[in-house]
Amino acid sequence: MTDQQGGLEPRANGSHAVDVGPTPARTTAPRQQEAGTAPGLGVRLTYGFGTDRGLRRELNEDSFLAVEPVFAVADGMGGHEAGEVASSVCVRTLEASSIAGTRLPALTVADLDDIIQQADQRIRAEAGGHAGTTLTGVVLVEDSGAPSWLFFNVGDSRSYRLSGGTFGQISVDHSEVQELVDLGSITEDEARTHHRRHVVTRALGTGDDADPDFWLMPVEDRDRILLCTDGLSGEVTDEHIYTILATVPDPQEACDELIAAALRSGARDNVTVIVVDAADPGTPDPDGDRIRSGVAAGGRFAADGDGRPVSEP
């Protein structure tokens, strides 16, 4: 496949599905769950992913990881000074951690923060503080006897959730324009075209603040999670993103549609997308069959590699 400039298109995509078995019994009683959750039940995950260099950038500095139960996107900063190295080190650190490939880990915020800080230190060691990366993602964890989403974020890549007909951004952008929006100095629409819209206030590998934010939420049947770099959110409105997520059932097809929407809007930056669906294992898949149990094959795109996804059997 070739891009519009005649070269090899730096694009990766794929989709996988898996059943996560019932959560083991705990000696402590589970906490009260919100409506729609199912304590102690398994979760079936189906997910898709994709990345594209876009129409303006010479390099793709985005990286992603989709290895059950951790999903993450990273947007490297630093251009030829190794933004692609920063994002690649970030996803490789997550992939090499004990959580990748572990079913419903009993992972705490402190545990996840340690892994993210390891990534920060490794990027600083390799790039000398001259390159950095955003990071946003989610881990499917076991919390108080039930499956939960543990979201994490540093920078202005985004995590969204579509659940029970409600769609919204989970993460909060660490950026100058978000601070201006919070102060009431500019509107959300003005932020989309503001000349400082790409200036982040937190990043891994560079600067003085690499502290991530975290959110823990119970999994609900029919949850749909979107992770994306600002190559999507900077080109496509939340309303358009919602329309695609709400009307395209297959997660891989939804990823492809979202990337296509960014390309139609000009794709001034690299665009990377992961869509994760969660459902009760008793719910038939679109073909009417149950997905067999087991840890899913996953995908990893490292921007400093050869541009192809790495699948784990």
Side-chain angles (χ1 to χ4, degrees):
M1 185 181 294
T2 58
D3 62 15
Q4 295 184 359
Q5 298 174 342
L8 181 67
E9 185 178 11
R11 183 170 182 146
N13 56 56
S15 61
H16 302 280
V18 63
D19 282 344
V20 176
T23 304
R26 299 280 304 261
T27 55
T28 56
R31 67 185 180 187
Q32 183 67 35
Q33 299 294 314
E34 296 179 7
T37 64
L41 294 182
V43 178
R44 186 182 75 205
L45 296 185
T46 309
Y47 50 98
F49 44 79
T51 186
D52 194 282
R53 186 180 68 191
L55 303 178
R56 304 282 186 89
R57 296 297 180 93
E58 180 180 350
L59 300 174
N60 190 345
E61 295 181 88
D62 287 356
S63 297
F64 70 76
L65 180 67
V67 176
E68 161 84 37
V70 57
F71 305 89
V73 299
D75 182 353
M77 301 172 293
H80 292 284
E81 292 186 351
E84 71 276 11
V85 171
S87 68
S88 298
V89 169
C90 188
V91 299
R92 287 191 175 114
T93 300
L94 286 169
E95 185 180 30
S97 71
S98 61
I99 60 175
T102 301
R103 182 175 297 170
L104 282 175
L107 186 76
T108 68
V109 167
D111 295 333
L112 184 53
D113 186 49
D114 285 344
I115 296 169
I116 295 172
Q117 295 309 317
Q118 289 173 25
D120 176 61
Q121 293 164 14
R122 290 173 182 171
I123 296 166
R124 292 177 190 272
E126 290 203 25
H130 297 295
T133 185
T134 69
L135 173 67
T136 200
V138 68
V139 185
L140 180 66
V141 302
E142 182 272 329
D143 179 67
S144 298
S148 296
W149 301 115
L150 178 53
F151 291 92
F152 52 95
N153 183 71
V154 182
D156 63 351
S157 293
R158 291 184 175 181
S159 298
Y160 293 88
R161 185 187 192 191
L162 175 60
S163 182
T166 299
F167 174 71
Q169 183 178 339
I170 299 299
S171 60
V172 177
D173 293 354
H174 301 140
S175 66
E176 285 193 1
V177 294
Q178 185 61 52
E179 292 179 354
L180 292 173
V181 170
D182 292 343
L183 290 171
S185 301
I186 62 173
T187 65
E188 291 281 0
D189 286 340
E190 290 171 335
R192 293 177 57 81
T193 57
H194 196 277
H195 67 284
R196 301 283 287 177
R197 64 187 179 277
H198 296 303
V199 180
V200 299
T201 54
R202 295 191 210 177
L204 299 180
T206 189
D208 298 326
D209 193 347
D211 291 335
D213 291 335
F214 299 95
W215 301 263
L216 183 65
M217 301 178 178
V219 175
E220 299 190 12
D221 189 30
R222 304 296 184 178
D223 271 355
R224 170 163 278 191
I225 305 300
L226 167 66
L227 310 174
C228 65
T229 58
D230 67 344
L232 177 69
S233 59
E235 298 286 3
V236 183
T237 65
D238 282 5
E239 290 77 13
H240 193 179
I241 290 172
Y242 165 74
T243 298
I244 293 172
L245 291 177
T247 58
V248 181
D250 180 78
Q252 185 58 53
E253 292 179 6
C255 285
D256 295 341
E257 287 287 341
L258 289 165
I259 291 173
L263 292 171
R264 288 193 297 268
S265 295
R268 292 165 290 180
D269 202 351
N270 314 141
V271 55
T272 299
V273 176
I274 298 175
V275 173
V276 184
D277 288 349
D280 188 301
T283 304
D285 71 6
D287 296 323
D289 298 320
R290 290 191 181 189
I291 310 263
R292 66 177 181 270
S293 180
V295 176
R300 187 248 299 152
F301 179 86
D304 64 354
D306 61 5
R308 292 177 296 179
V310 176
S311 292
E312 307 279 340

